[in-house]
Amino acid sequence: DCCILGCFLLNVSTKGSIASFETMGIAVAQSHFDMTSSRAGMIVSCSGAIGVYALLSMGKLEKYFSDIQLIAGGMAIMGVGITVLIPIQNHMHNPGWQYALAIFLIYGIGYPIGHTAVIGIFSKIVGRRPQGLLLGWFASAGSLARMAFPVMSGYISSYAGVDKLFSTLCVVLLVSILFVYTYRHTLNFLSS
């Protein structure tokens, strides 16, 4: 049961982190990278298309990596993408490649792989139990994150700056990775 709760929290951290970018991403591109919304949208769109390819490649990835490695790896790649954005300067023309790299790592690789692996391990842990209620709670936890994280993002970026927002998201993902690493043996046992 603790591992099921842990999967809920992993769902919250991945969905919440991506929700922050869905809310703040274009505004940050306009204010910190001097990009038009259409150019930033094209970067997000192309990265999302690459993310679809990553999703379609999950079967091949699972042959070489465990669910634990995919979750931790996906979250780590998201964290690297977010870390790329921490040093951006306010109201300055930061290099556009920095934004493109961050969005590519987050939308194109990290989130699709990490979150899909979270869904997979949750399903394996639940196993033959009645899944309807638990899947409902799992989806609700993700929806709650998609509501709470954008609000939190707005407050943090308004009062402390986007660098503090990105640092906060990195901490959330790091704590999630540490959870996965700490309980990797239990998660592997329950999902096999």
Side-chain angles (χ1 to χ4, degrees):
D1 288 343
C2 288
C3 285
I4 290 174
L5 178 62
C7 287
F8 285 2
L9 295 175
L10 293 174
N11 184 27
V12 166
S13 67
T14 55
K15 286 256 185 172
S17 297
I18 201 75
S20 293
F21 277 91
E22 290 171 348
T23 303
M24 304 290 297
I26 302 299
V28 168
Q30 291 174 318
S31 64
H32 290 75
F33 295 94
D34 196 32
M35 286 187 187
T36 62
S37 60
S38 59
R39 182 171 178 218
M42 184 61 73
I43 291 169
V44 172
S45 176
C46 289
S47 296
I50 293 167
V52 170
Y53 179 76
L55 284 171
L56 296 174
S57 301
M58 285 299 289
K60 288 185 180 183
L61 290 173
E62 286 180 334
K63 292 178 182 176
Y64 301 103
F65 302 102
S66 69
D67 287 331
I68 302 301
Q69 291 170 325
L70 291 171
I71 292 168
M75 289 183 166
I77 291 169
M78 286 179 73
V80 170
I82 295 168
T83 302
V84 167
L85 295 174
I86 291 174
I88 62 173
Q89 301 295 314
N90 286 332
H91 308 295
M92 294 188 71
H93 300 296
N94 297 290
W97 64 262
Q98 192 175 14
Y99 178 80
L101 176 63
I103 295 300
F104 168 73
L105 291 172
I106 295 164
Y107 281 87
I109 303 172
Y111 177 76
I113 292 172
H115 187 68
T116 303
V118 169
I119 294 168
I121 200 167
F122 175 76
S123 180
K124 290 175 186 175
I125 289 171
V126 171
R128 293 194 172 129
R129 295 186 226 182
Q131 293 190 13
L133 178 65
L134 290 173
L135 287 172
W137 281 103
F138 186 80
S140 296
S143 295
L144 179 63
R146 292 182 83 94
M147 292 184 294
F149 273 64
V151 172
M152 173 200 72
S153 297
Y155 279 112
I156 292 173
S157 64
S158 293
Y159 294 109
V162 292
D163 58 328
K164 300 296 186 281
L165 168 62
F166 297 141
S167 298
T168 302
L169 292 174
C170 282
V171 168
V172 167
L173 290 170
L174 181 62
V175 168
S176 299
I177 292 168
L178 290 174
F179 167 80
V180 170
Y181 180 76
T182 301
Y183 296 102
R184 68 190 180 281
H185 298 298
T186 304
L187 289 168
N188 272 328
F189 175 74
L190 291 174
S191 66
S192 54

